């Protein structure tokens, strides 16, 4: 019985040691900056391809990805208006990287800006009055809705220079 419990204890110690030896995890850290002027890049994305490991660089351009099992990985770094960088990284201990991204540019032919004014608003009515070539009074649809007057004729009566004659 003693030898069986001794053998059982040795077996569990061996299993525990083999799991603890294989369960080492490491960190990947570094700083991301602009290659042209060495300014740090805040918000760059670092992704270890084929895994769920990723990080974003902080205000000082630094990042850290924790608990990565040892192995060879492909790491992709991306940031808006910079070329994506893909590199092979061997994780066999805590690894530090100094990454410098190359700026990229894109030429566009032109930009068309199109706007439309909502004609029923008070601001649109005031703008129409301001831009008119002659003196003009405008009542917006919204102003008519909010008016205490029952009929449109009563609303028009409030416009300066307009007189309204009523007949029975």
């Amino acid at each position: 019985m003693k030898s069986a419990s001794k053998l059982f204890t040795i077996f569990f110690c061996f299993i525990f040691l083999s799991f603890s030896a294989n369960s080492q995890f490491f960190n990947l850290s570094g700083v991301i900056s602009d290659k042209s002027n060495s300014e740090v890049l805040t918000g760059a994305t670092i992704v270890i391809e084929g895994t769920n490991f990723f990080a974003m660089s902080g205000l000082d351009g630094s990042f850290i990805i924790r608990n990565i099992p040892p192995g060879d990985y492909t790491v992709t770094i991306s940031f808006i208006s910079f070329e994506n960088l893909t590199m092979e990284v061997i994780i066999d201990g805590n690894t530090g990287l100094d990454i410098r991204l190359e700026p990229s540019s894109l030429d566009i032919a032109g930009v068309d800006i199109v706007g439309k004014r909502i004609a029923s608003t008070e601001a649109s009515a005031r703008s129409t009055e301001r831009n008119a070539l002659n003196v003009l009074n405008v009542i917006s649809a919204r102003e008519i809705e909010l008016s205490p007057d029952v009929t449109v004729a009563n609303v028009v009566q409030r416009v300066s220079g307009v007189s309204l004659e009523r007949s029975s």
Side-chain angles (χ1 to χ4, degrees), residues 124-146:
S124 176
R126 297 299 75 83
S127 177
T128 302
E129 288 177 347
R130 201 173 32 255
N131 296 327
L133 296 176
N134 53 359
V135 176
L136 185 67
N137 285 323
V138 178
I139 299 175
S140 68
R142 182 74 178 147
E143 191 175 352
I144 293 172
E145 287 176 9
L146 296 175

Side-chain angles (χ1 to χ4, degrees), residues 32-33 40-49 54-58 61 63 65 74-87 99-104:
I32 301 176
S33 60
V40 295
L41 300 177
T42 301
T45 305
I46 303 91
V47 177
I48 299 178
E49 299 296 330
F54 68 95
M56 292 188 74
S57 60
F63 70 93
I65 303 174
T74 302
V75 177
T76 302
I77 300 97
S78 59
F79 190 67
I80 295 174
S81 76
F82 285 83
E83 296 288 334
N84 288 353
L85 177 65
T86 302
M87 58 185 354
I99 300 167
R100 297 184 179 275
L101 295 182
E102 187 76 36
S104 70

Side-chain angles (χ1 to χ4, degrees), residues 10-131:
I10 292 172
F11 177 72
F12 272 115
C13 287
F14 177 74
I15 294 289
F16 176 75
L17 290 175
S18 66
F19 276 130
S20 65
N22 290 334
S23 65
Q24 288 184 337
F25 296 102
F26 301 105
N27 298 334
L28 175 65
S29 61
V31 176
I32 301 176
S33 60
D34 185 341
K35 191 173 188 177
S36 63
N37 59 14
S38 299
E39 287 185 20
V40 295
L41 300 177
T42 301
T45 305
I46 303 91
V47 177
I48 299 178
E49 299 296 330
T51 69
N52 291 329
F53 295 110
F54 68 95
M56 292 188 74
S57 60
L59 293 174
D60 59 352
S62 67
F63 70 93
I64 186 165
I65 303 174
R66 300 180 191 280
N67 301 324
I68 305 170
D72 297 347
Y73 296 99
T74 302
V75 177
T76 302
I77 300 97
S78 59
F79 190 67
I80 295 174
S81 76
F82 285 83
E83 296 288 334
N84 288 353
L85 177 65
T86 302
M87 58 185 354
E88 297 295 322
V89 176
I90 299 171
I91 305 290
D92 56 0
N94 290 333
T95 307
L97 301 173
D98 182 23
I99 300 167
R100 297 184 179 275
L101 295 182
E102 187 76 36
S104 70
S105 62
L106 177 65
D107 294 331
I108 57 175
V111 176
D112 292 331
I113 299 173
V114 179
K116 184 178 177 183
R117 177 170 68 176
I118 301 172
S120 63
T121 65
E122 184 68 25
S124 176
R126 297 299 75 83
S127 177
T128 302
E129 288 177 347
R130 201 173 32 255
N131 296 327

